[in-house]
Amino acid sequence: GAVVSQHPSRVICKSGTSVKIECRSLDFQATTMFWYRQFPKQSLMLMATSNEGSKATYEQGVEKDKFLINHASLTLSTLTVTSAHPEDSSFYICSASQRWGGTNEKLFFGSGTQLSVL
Amino acid sequence: AQSVTQPDIHITVSEGASLELRCNYSYGATPYLFWYVQSPGQGLQLLLKYFSGDTLVQGIKGFEAEFKRSQSSFNLRKPSVHWSDAAEYFCAFAIQGAQKLVFGQGTRLTINP
């Protein structure tokens, strides 16, 4: 089956630094990828929708300048948390949409990245 | 507003017992419905989904779910749980034609030996 690889799985950084998280679709082309954020013991909240070759669409309340999303190719989307602060510590998960045959579609999730900002 | 509600935050069952996790959605039409499982520190794995047709859906790992339009529910069931089923379970829906998922709050399942 299709696989989505997300790296790193865990990252610890100092406050004020930037962190980049990668999401790759390994065996299919994903025109659309999604980034979610999960607070401890809470649900996943959609942050943004990333379309290849265009600007990401952010959900209400998500800071575009803090969470930079780039989807430069059909197999890679990146999320950069800029000037990270302790409140940005969270579990970030990406998903990639596989479409075929005009109407078929599946979503595949990465394994997530646990970000801890000290 | 479009939303998914999982009324039970935490459920504990004994190994071998039956399980039902509740999910209710709020949407003007029938959405696409999903159940995902998340093990600690892991991503999400799709258990099953409902798009249309037969309202009783079979999934992986022996799980099934039943869509009940009259109750706006999509409850997950398993006749006999195993210790390895301990995890967080999320119900979600996608608006038909859209790809964005709206997740419920999750239900944490603990299995007693």
Side-chain angles (χ1 to χ4, degrees):
Chain A
V3 176
V4 172
S5 173
Q6 187 173 340
H7 290 283
S9 59
R10 185 178 296 272
V11 58
I12 301 173
C13 69
K14 293 182 179 180
S15 183
T17 61
S18 295
V19 174
K20 180 184 284 188
I21 303 170
E22 292 188 347
C23 182
R24 293 180 183 272
S25 55
L26 297 184
D27 54 1
F28 67 98
Q29 293 182 332
T31 54
T32 306
M33 290 186 174
F34 303 87
W35 288 95
Y36 292 84
R37 180 174 180 176
Q38 184 181 27
F39 293 99
K41 299 184 179 180
Q42 294 189 31
S43 186
L44 290 84
M45 301 298 296
L46 180 65
M47 298 175 65
T49 302
S50 167
N51 291 297
E52 186 265 338
S54 63
K55 291 184 178 180
T57 303
Y58 290 81
E59 296 299 304
Q60 189 174 6
V62 178
E63 298 177 61
K64 301 178 183 181
D65 295 332
K66 166 160 275 298
F67 299 101
L68 300 179
I69 292 173
N70 183 279
H71 193 161
S73 77
L74 287 172
T75 59
L76 174 64
S77 176
T78 60
L79 167 67
T80 302
V81 183
T82 63
S83 187
H85 289 281
E87 57 264 31
D88 298 325
S89 299
S90 190
F91 194 62
Y92 295 86
I93 302 178
C94 72
S95 70
S97 171
Q98 181 188 26
R99 284 183 165 177
W100 71 98
T103 58
N104 298 296
E105 182 182 3
K106 283 187 176 181
L107 277 176
F108 298 92
F109 283 82
S111 54
T113 298
Q114 181 64 54
L115 171 63
S116 299
V117 184
L118 305 178
Chain B
Q2 300 157 356
S3 65
V4 178
T5 302
Q6 293 179 245
D8 305 305
I9 296 175
H10 184 202
I11 285 182
T12 300
V13 298
S14 298
E15 189 169 15
S18 62
L19 171 72
E20 182 169 34
L21 302 182
R22 295 183 291 166
C23 172
N24 294 94
Y25 67 90
S26 175
Y27 182 56
T30 300
Y32 294 159
L33 295 159
F34 306 81
W35 273 100
Y36 285 89
V37 60
Q38 182 183 34
S39 297
Q42 300 295 313
L44 300 174
Q45 181 180 22
L46 178 67
L47 286 175
L48 46 79
K49 61 180 183 282
Y50 171 78
F51 285 176
S52 65
D54 193 346
T55 56
L56 184 62
V57 181
Q58 301 298 320
I60 63 171
K61 304 185 179 185
F63 286 93
E64 67 177 26
E66 185 172 13
F67 169 62
K68 293 186 177 180
R69 186 189 306 274
S70 61
Q71 298 177 19
S72 297
S73 69
F74 189 56
N75 295 347
L76 181 71
R77 300 194 294 251
K78 186 170 184 177
S80 176
V81 296
H82 186 262
W83 64 267
S84 59
D85 294 325
E88 189 89 18
Y89 291 80
F90 292 97
C91 180
F93 81 81
I95 301 169
Q96 289 193 9
Q99 302 162 297
K100 297 192 298 186
L101 295 181
V102 176
F103 286 88
Q105 304 92 319
T107 298
R108 183 161 62 92
L109 176 64
T110 299
I111 307 295
N112 281 338

